[in-house]
Amino acid sequence: MKRTTGRDRDRTRRWRPATQAIRGGTLRSDQLEMSEAIFATSGYVYDCAEDAAARFKGELPGFTYSRLSNPTVAMLEERLCLIEGAEACRATASGMAAMTAALLCQLNAGDHVVAGKTMFGSCRWLVDSLLPRFGIETTVVDGPDTAAWAAARRPNTKVFFLETPGNPLLDIIDLAAVIPLAHEAGARVVVDNVFATPIFQRPLELGADVVAYSLTKHVDGQGRVLGGAVLGSQAFVADTLLPFLRNTGPTLSAFNAWVLLKGLETLDLRVRKMAASAQTVAEHLAARGLDVLYPGLPSHPQHALAMRQMSAGGTVMALRLPGASAEAFALLNALELIDISNNLGDSRSMITHPWTTTHSGLPEDTRRAMGITEGLVRLSVGLEDPADLTDDLDQALGAVGL
Ligand SMILES: Cc1ncc(COP(=O)(O)O)c(C=O)c1O
């Protein structure tokens, strides 16, 4: 295995994210391949039994088993570390594997978690249904209400878990204000940074302890594979996260890691273009008189905070339509270009009805308390020409009388 400049952190840390996302962490084999190799292997061999023992002890560098680590996956992990400004990263098979591991690896029966109320449906399920089954208490607060986070703390609070902007309502949590509240209570902060992407928001710089991703979204961003990642300090990853991951096995495959590496190469370009188009589309829809929730619009309740905390409004917005599911369905069905899909962060624009899809697994009162209604739709803006997107939205809105 030839180590290249991509492995020299003193050098790669000085690069900007767009460079890091292309060249960071490269591990070239003796073939000196240009594009990263797919190490499609479950295991590794040793020159002698002593080497096997030394590798297991960590005294000899190298891989032992792909549930624990794999060269292709390791390249992705190092690249993600660099663009996030994290010390360490572990990739997982999906975003939900990352969120579950980030929480369960550090929680015990008798602990308490405070979570923001707006989050992806499966993340809310972790908080409302899974953690309590293991004797972990949870309190859900209105994320933008900083005082609510302070008031929810208890002596046994171990984790603040939050998503900002939140899925699907795009509400913003004040990281600089909320993170110290957790630390005062001796708790860690786990941020699901999927909506913001590492390009627009860097929670670790604001003091967050752990950042977790669905790489399925913007990092692949082309509808091909699932993946996830958990990032944090070397101590957290090595001592707390790794024992959980290596023994439970939510491992990312080498092939999927390779696809995600290819996605990372264009992440910076894609999300900047998508966010610029989202801003255009949001302004267009707001000018039509629609109720648009988008952090980049001055009408967003936390617009000033969003613009302080993020360098752009992101790629996703929500629309509150008059009427219920039938009216929302009519709009989705009238679109000719924008796909009906529950994914987001993709190069193809997609529209979702959270009430009946991404958040349908949550009880009705939970959805209502989150602010999700039958008339809410979520729009993820892709890489198409924004004029084609506004044309499509205009014709569909016209067709349904809006
Ligand atoms: C904010 C957020 N977090 C986590 C996930 C879960 O990711 P995955 O589908 O890769 O498991 C999603 C998926 O929609 C999401 O939107």
Side-chain angles (χ1 to χ4, degrees), residues 186-236:
R188 289 198 186 100
V189 180
V190 177
V191 178
D192 177 339
N193 205 35
V194 164
F195 267 46
T197 81
I199 307 301
F200 297 142
Q201 179 168 274
R202 293 164 68 84
L204 296 179
E205 285 175 3
L206 296 171
D209 303 279
V210 180
V211 176
Y213 285 100
S214 164
L215 304 177
T216 319
K217 310 298 182 239
H218 301 85
V219 173
D220 174 33
Q222 288 148 90
R224 300 167 297 188
V225 299
L226 280 89
V230 184
L231 300 108
S233 70
Q234 178 62 31
F236 172 79

Side-chain angles (χ1 to χ4, degrees), residues 43-297:
Y44 305 85
V45 295
Y46 312 93
D47 284 340
C48 58
E50 286 79 4
D51 277 8
R55 275 205 212 170
F56 268 74
K57 272 196 199 152
E59 290 168 355
L60 199 64
F63 297 89
T64 55
Y65 191 53
S66 285
R67 169 154 44 76
L68 316 184
S69 195
N70 168 286
T72 314
V73 179
M75 284 189 259
L76 174 69
E77 291 169 340
E78 176 64 10
R79 226 164 258 186
L80 290 169
C81 269
L82 291 170
I83 61 174
E84 196 69 43
E87 286 176 9
C89 168
R90 300 308 286 204
T92 56
S94 70
M96 282 323 299
M99 303 305 156
T100 307
L103 294 173
L104 285 185
C105 75
Q106 57 178 318
L107 290 167
N108 294 298
D111 288 346
H112 174 238
V113 172
V114 186
K117 76 174 179 187
T118 307
M119 49 177 66
F120 173 51
S122 296
C123 294
R124 261 307 286 269
W125 181 85
L126 295 181
V127 171
D128 294 348
S129 300
L130 185 74
L131 298 182
R133 272 171 37 195
F134 296 95
I136 298 156
E137 301 171 322
T138 61
T139 304
V140 172
V141 298
D142 181 25
D145 181 357
T146 300
W149 291 91
R153 294 173 298 175
R154 297 184 195 160
N156 58 341
T157 303
K158 290 288 157 42
V159 168
F160 277 17
F161 179 42
L162 57 93
E163 197 179 298
T164 179
N167 181 359
L169 291 152
L170 287 308
D171 43 353
I172 306 289
I173 297 171
D174 188 344
L175 292 174
V178 168
I179 290 168
L181 295 174
H183 292 165
E184 273 169 29
R188 289 198 186 100
V189 180
V190 177
V191 178
D192 177 339
N193 205 35
V194 164
F195 267 46
T197 81
I199 307 301
F200 297 142
Q201 179 168 274
R202 293 164 68 84
L204 296 179
E205 285 175 3
L206 296 171
D209 303 279
V210 180
V211 176
Y213 285 100
S214 164
L215 304 177
T216 319
K217 310 298 182 239
H218 301 85
V219 173
D220 174 33
Q222 288 148 90
R224 300 167 297 188
V225 299
L226 280 89
V230 184
L231 300 108
S233 70
Q234 178 62 31
F236 172 79
V237 171
D239 303 338
T240 305
L241 179 68
L242 207 47
F244 181 88
L245 290 180
R246 60 194 307 158
N247 294 302
T248 58
T251 313
L252 183 68
S253 74
F255 177 75
N256 285 3
W258 180 82
V259 174
L260 292 163
L261 279 165
K262 296 294 113 187
L264 265 188
E265 292 187 3
T266 54
L267 176 72
D268 188 275
L269 260 181
R270 282 183 290 110
V271 299
R272 288 184 198 284
K273 169 78 170 91
M274 286 155 67
S277 296
Q279 182 75 36
T280 303
V281 171
E283 285 169 8
H284 179 86
L285 294 175
R288 273 190 75 118
L290 281 145
D291 186 358
V292 186
L293 301 168
Y294 180 65
L297 287 181

Side-chain angles (χ1 to χ4, degrees), residues 2 38 49 87 98 118 137 168 204 230 252 272 284 305 308 315 326 334 351 361 364-365 368:
K2 286 236 183 309
I38 304 174
E87 286 176 9
T118 307
E137 301 171 322
L204 296 179
V230 184
L252 183 68
R272 288 184 198 284
H284 179 86
L305 167 62
R308 246 190 352 261
T315 64
I351 196 155
E364 185 173 330
D365 56 342
R368 293 213 186 279

